Every structure is written in structure tokens, then in C-alpha cells.
Amino acid sequence: MNTEGPAANDGLHLIPFRGLRYVPERVGSLAAVTSPPYDVVVRPDGLHHLESADPYNIVRLILPQAAAAGTRHRKAADTLSRWLNEGVLAPDPEPALYVYEQRRGDILQRGIIGALALSEPSEGVVLPHEDVMPDIVADRAALMRTTAANLEPLLLTYRSTNNGNGAAAVIERAARRPPLLSTTTEDGFSHLLWSITEPGELAEVRDDLSRRQALIADGHHRWATYLRLRAEHPSHGPWNYGLVLLIDTARYPLQVRAIHRLLHRLPVSQALASLGDSFRSRRLDVPLEQALAALSEAAAEGNAFLLAGDGSFHLIDRPDPQLLSRTVRADRPETWRSLDATVLHATLLDHVWKIPDAPEHIGYIHDTLAAVDQAERRGSTAVLMHPVREDVVRDLAREGVTMPRKSTSFGPKPATGLVLRSLALD
């Protein structure tokens, strides 16, 4: 693989790499060794479930368990080395790009996995749309630094003209060939992977992507981690690239979901009492599905949130305009100022509830049922959010305006464990 640096163009520069993949004969099943991305795993229940699914489950690398952070990262590196020595994981014989398909019912997503040349947001090639938390970046950087590996791909999107040429044509041709692997995970998604090694097809992908701009859909902390580690390695080499999955949303639109908040130390009764007249509050003694429908209806009119944790749901909406004007930054576009995540953090968390944005106070949970269940079990408050439209996310990113952290969840997300990238092989 050429690691001297990106080609001279203003677009995306995606290059092949020798993927590390599980050897099927050495594991119970490919489905049993996969995992959702590290930040989607619901802890501790989901973590324990994955660890017990198979002794070689990838969660032992992406979320190693030990008392001290340094010990965790060293444990992951030792585990990776042992699995390679035992032949549980093995590198593919030659560098490749990988076409990846996910399918469940009417949902079909196809994209390309490769090593993408890194760029700063100011270069306008890869656009972030969310802020990041420094402690998470530090943790992911320590893990990548110690393992010298990209253990899971980021999810990036771009938009083609949808004429079926270039990368799109290569993807569709690959999908008609026998796959390298095929498995179905317990969430009902089938996963297929093909390799692209033919020089002509690699050139088609390279030329097409050189004219594209990407949006980070999922993986802001890992992208920030890539940039930090590149800065630590002045000669760059393999550290100048990061593992990504690129999806053309002109052909395969993603779903955009919300990421919910779990306020560990705030009971629902206290959260409601603190609101005063700043928001309208209504108790909803209905099932979750109906409560979410009420949230969607209210969100069409303005900022709205659903609180859970006491056995009922509480819809809060219609914030006091004067309160918003005092608490939300005025030096940002109106689209940003009116985001639910903006109002939640600037008005509710910072001003009304006075809750620091720190892990001991706030958890971020993608799964709605898990958020409600954890809040009820712990006597805390789940704040259920309404998703943001993709066009809003993309427009703000193009303006160089980042949304509050954990504002969106694009999906379906790639399964972790199907293909890894070892920097030692590049």
C-alpha cells in the first residue's frame, strides 16, 4: 500500500489495505464474534452478552475490561497479538478495498471500506457535524496507539450524481460475485463482504471519489483520534490514513435516529419540579410507541423532549422564548440555535438542571428501550430525543458549524469485527 500521502486532488483519497479478518474455522460463527460500534454497546448488559457469545468476540478488543485504562489498552493489544499468533485472525493476501452490504427487510445499504487519507475540517474534504468529548478521544487514541490498529470503520457519507458510474458501478458488479463472507447477526441484518483488487476497478473508485466530499455520519471521536495520532507520527506513513466505510446516500439513503441522554443523578420528579414555567409539561400514561408519536408531533412545532424514568412519560415542549434568548448562543445560525440538542444542553442541562456534561452525570444511549429501562431501574431521568433530518446536518456541516455532541445517530451502522486494519501491515 502506498503510504507516502494523498494524491494531489481536493477530494477523497481511499486506498486498499490488507484487511485482518476472522478465520471462520477458528470461531463459533462470524455472527457470534461481531459487535455494534463501541459507543452503541449498552453497558454493562450488552457488554456481558457479547463477551459470553464467543471467546473471540471483537468486543474484547474495542472495549477491553480492566481496572486501569492503561491495563485495558495493553490487554487489548495482547489479545490482538495472541489471536493473530493462534490464527484466529489472519491478514488477506493482498491489499484490497472491500464492498460491504447490509440488508434487513426493505433496508439495503452498500458501500466501500478502505483506508482514507486524513484531512483537517478546514480543508473541507471530510466534514464533521458534531463536537467531541476530549476524554473519549484520549481513550480511543490510547487504544489505537497501543494496538496499532483501526479496529472498526467509521461511517462516512457522500453524494454522487447517481448515474451508476464510477464507484457505484464497481459496487454493483462486486455484489454479483461470490462474497468473501456472509453472516446474519441477531438483529436480523445480513452482512456480506467482497474484495476489490483488480487495478481497473480500483482506478474507477479512486477517480470517482477524488471529486467527492464526505460527511462524518458516525465516528467523530474516532476521526478526531485519527488526527491526533497522525500528529504524533510526523513521518505519517500508515498513520496518515484511517479505516472508513463510505456510503453514497444518493443511492443508499441512511436512516437518522436520535441519541438519548441518561441523567444519572437526576430523578424525574426533580427534573419536572425544576422546570417551573420555562417549559410546558404533560404527563403521558401511554405505551412508548404512542409517547414517541406525541414527541414527533410536538417536535414539528418546536423544541420538544420526552422524559422517562418514573413509569410514565412526560412531554416537555414550548420553551419560554425569553429563556432561550438568554441561554442559547446568539453567534450561530438560527438552524443551530433551534436544534433540540442545542436547547437541551444550553438551556435545560446548563441553566435549568445545572448538570455538567461529564460521564458521571450524563450517559448517551442509542437504543430507546434501553434508555427507558436504565432510567427506571436506577431512578434517574432519560431524555428521549427526536431525530434531526440529514439535510439539516449536512447544511450545517458545510457552513462549518458543529452540532452539540451526540446529536445524531446515522444507520444502519457497520458491524464491528468483519474487517480490521493493522497499521503494522501497511
Side-chain angles (χ1 to χ4, degrees), residues 179-389:
L180 288 176
L181 65 84
S182 174
T183 190
T184 300
T185 45
E186 64 180 10
D187 59 3
F189 272 98
S190 66
H191 306 264
L192 292 91
L193 197 73
W194 297 264
S195 66
I196 304 171
T197 58
E198 197 275 318
E201 291 193 324
L202 294 173
E204 282 185 76
V205 173
R206 180 181 63 246
D207 293 346
D208 185 6
L209 295 181
S210 70
R211 301 187 295 274
R212 309 298 176 199
Q213 178 188 61
L215 174 74
I216 302 176
D218 185 69
H220 284 81
H221 290 90
R222 283 166 286 163
W223 185 259
T225 297
Y226 288 165
L227 294 177
R228 174 181 291 194
L229 293 175
R230 180 181 69 165
E232 294 177 4
H233 297 79
S235 61
H236 297 334
W239 298 94
N240 200 46
Y241 295 80
L243 185 64
V244 305
L245 166 63
L246 279 165
I247 301 290
D248 177 4
T249 53
R251 298 180 67 83
Y252 299 105
L254 295 182
Q255 298 174 317
V256 187
R257 302 185 185 278
I259 301 177
H260 310 299
R261 275 60 171 166
L262 184 64
L263 311 182
H264 300 303
R265 303 178 182 178
L266 183 70
V268 174
S269 58
Q270 185 179 335
L272 292 170
S274 302
L275 290 177
D277 296 327
S278 58
F279 283 75
R280 182 178 70 167
S281 173
R282 289 175 285 164
R283 180 180 176 126
L284 305 176
D285 290 311
V286 297
L288 175 59
E289 185 176 348
Q290 289 178 241
L292 291 173
L295 173 62
S296 179
E297 184 177 339
E301 303 297 326
N303 300 117
F305 311 92
L306 203 60
L307 307 187
D310 64 351
S312 296
F313 298 102
H314 304 267
L315 180 64
I316 62 172
D317 62 358
R318 298 187 183 180
D320 178 359
Q322 292 186 349
L323 176 62
L324 295 182
S325 67
R326 294 197 309 271
T327 56
V328 178
R329 292 176 55 171
D331 61 345
R332 295 291 180 94
E334 177 57 31
T335 302
W336 183 91
R337 289 171 51 80
S338 61
L339 289 170
D340 286 338
T342 298
V343 172
L344 172 63
H345 284 263
T347 304
L348 283 168
L349 295 177
D350 292 352
H351 181 81
V352 176
W353 294 328
K354 296 181 171 56
I355 297 177
D357 193 356
E360 61 268 27
H361 291 279
I362 304 177
Y364 294 85
I365 301 182
H366 293 70
D367 184 85
T368 309
L369 281 171
V372 174
D373 178 63
Q374 290 199 28
E376 291 183 346
R377 281 193 286 152
R378 301 174 183 180
S380 55
T381 296
V383 182
L384 306 184
M385 309 282 288
H386 186 68
V388 183
R389 299 193 318 274

Side-chain angles (χ1 to χ4, degrees), residues 15-19 92 94-98 113-115 180 194-197 202:
I15 61 175
F17 68 102
R18 288 183 67 194
D92 283 334
E94 59 182 319
L97 296 179
Y98 297 87
I113 295 174
L180 288 176
W194 297 264
S195 66
I196 304 171
T197 58
L202 294 173

